[in-house]
Amino acid sequence: MTTWLNMSLQDGASPIMEQLIFFHDHTLMIMLMIITTVMYMMTTLLWNKHTSRFMLEGQLIETTWTIAPAIILVFIAMPSLRLLYLMDEIHNPTMTLKAVGHQWYWSYEYSDFTKLEFDSYMIPQEENQASTFRLLDTDNRIVLPMNSPIRLVVTAADVLHSWTIPSLGVKTDATPGRLNQVSFSINHPGILYGQCSEICGANHSFMPITIESVSANHFITLSLKPKSIIS
Ligand code: CUA
């Protein structure tokens, strides 16, 4: 999760998010090159009179400065497309989680396990304890196995919502009458936080998402017990 003074991306908790961070840094380096060059050219122009008695045209330089940006764009577009299609891939999911957006809470269905569904509300500030994070913790966390490909299907019951976990690189609109699909796997055990990111009404800011990532063995043990923290 984000802590004080963290202005960059959160640490990646899934292979896709790690790749997204690499792509972000790669694109920033290209931007840095362009900004440096353009700033240099602009400051140089200040001390230039822009007059030449003999130069009427410069075919070579015009060809160069037309083609060069196109080549630079290819260096951004290729890894970008690679990631786009990689994020769309479903790698034989071990389980499916269904998330439904409501005003203003999420509800979840573990469709692989019979009748396993629950609502997940934010823990209000008055009830906030030292062990919970303000505006981020929920009364019922999603429990998921780590190191396992997971399919997530997202929809909404009333208005547009968005199921977003920055550290997983997942951000999917929850649309009424539509079922969106994403897949991810979690790299490590721990708790991951997310928030709705589609302006959905008065309490838009108060429908966080909390994932409890546990080992696959632990997850199976939990899911076999009806009174576990999943139910
Ligand atoms: Cu739900 Cu914003």
Side-chain angles (χ1 to χ4, degrees):
M1 65 175 280
T2 312
T3 48
W4 297 112
L5 295 178
N6 182 6
M7 286 191 289
S8 189
L9 293 162
Q10 293 179 35
D11 287 345
S14 73
I16 282 289
M17 192 57 210
E18 285 172 350
Q19 292 297 312
L20 285 168
I21 293 169
F22 290 147
F23 174 66
H24 168 264
D25 295 350
H26 165 80
T27 312
L28 265 193
M29 292 318 287
I30 293 176
M31 261 181 67
L32 197 69
M33 272 162 45
I34 295 169
I35 290 169
T36 317
T37 315
V38 170
M39 290 307 282
Y40 170 75
M41 289 166 91
M42 284 171 75
T43 41
T44 316
L45 283 173
L46 290 175
W47 316 112
N48 197 315
K49 288 198 165 60
H50 306 300
T51 52
S52 170
R53 283 215 282 165
F54 306 110
M55 198 189 76
L56 295 172
E57 59 179 345
Q59 294 288 349
L60 179 67
I61 195 170
E62 288 204 17
T63 312
T64 311
W65 75 40
T66 305
I67 293 176
I71 294 170
I72 294 170
L73 284 182
V74 169
F75 275 92
I76 301 172
M78 286 304 155
S80 172
L81 284 173
R82 187 187 82 106
L83 266 172
L84 186 69
Y85 288 110
L86 219 49
M87 290 171 80
D88 217 26
E89 198 71 54
I90 304 292
H91 313 271
N92 296 319
T94 51
M95 60 163 288
T96 300
L97 172 73
K98 185 182 181 187
V100 185
H102 304 263
Q103 281 179 318
W104 286 276
Y105 63 96
W106 292 96
S107 68
Y108 298 98
E109 295 169 24
Y110 285 69
S111 319
D112 300 338
F113 312 86
T114 47
K115 284 190 178 174
L116 198 50
E117 48 183 273
F118 57 90
D119 296 338
S120 182
Y121 283 87
M122 183 190 78
I123 298 176
Q125 211 183 323
E126 312 85 69
E127 299 168 27
N128 220 356
Q129 284 139 32
S131 57
T132 64
F133 291 108
R134 192 176 86 96
L135 306 182
L136 282 179
D137 264 302
T138 55
D139 54 358
N140 288 309
R141 288 172 178 158
I142 313 159
V143 181
L144 289 175
M146 64 171 192
N147 287 331
S148 328
I150 291 155
R151 169 177 33 220
L152 173 79
V153 286
V154 186
T155 187
D158 35 52
V159 296
L160 279 181
H161 298 275
S162 177
W163 200 91
T164 305
I165 304 272
S167 58
L168 286 181
V170 173
K171 184 175 188 195
T172 312
D173 268 16
T175 312
R178 213 189 125 84
L179 196 65
N180 283 326
Q181 175 183 259
V182 280
S183 81
F184 58 85
S185 81
I186 309 171
N187 279 345
H188 55 71
I191 300 171
L192 308 174
Y193 293 96
Q195 285 177 298
C196 175
S197 42
E198 192 76 76
I199 308 296
C200 57
N203 292 326
H204 157 68
S205 319
F206 311 119
M207 47 180 301
I209 303 149
T210 318
I211 296 182
E212 215 173 290
S213 167
V214 297
S215 77
N217 275 337
H218 191 55
F219 178 80
I220 292 164
T221 321
L222 282 175
S223 60
L224 292 175
K225 290 178 192 156
K227 292 282 181 202
S228 68
I229 48 172
I230 299 175
S231 56

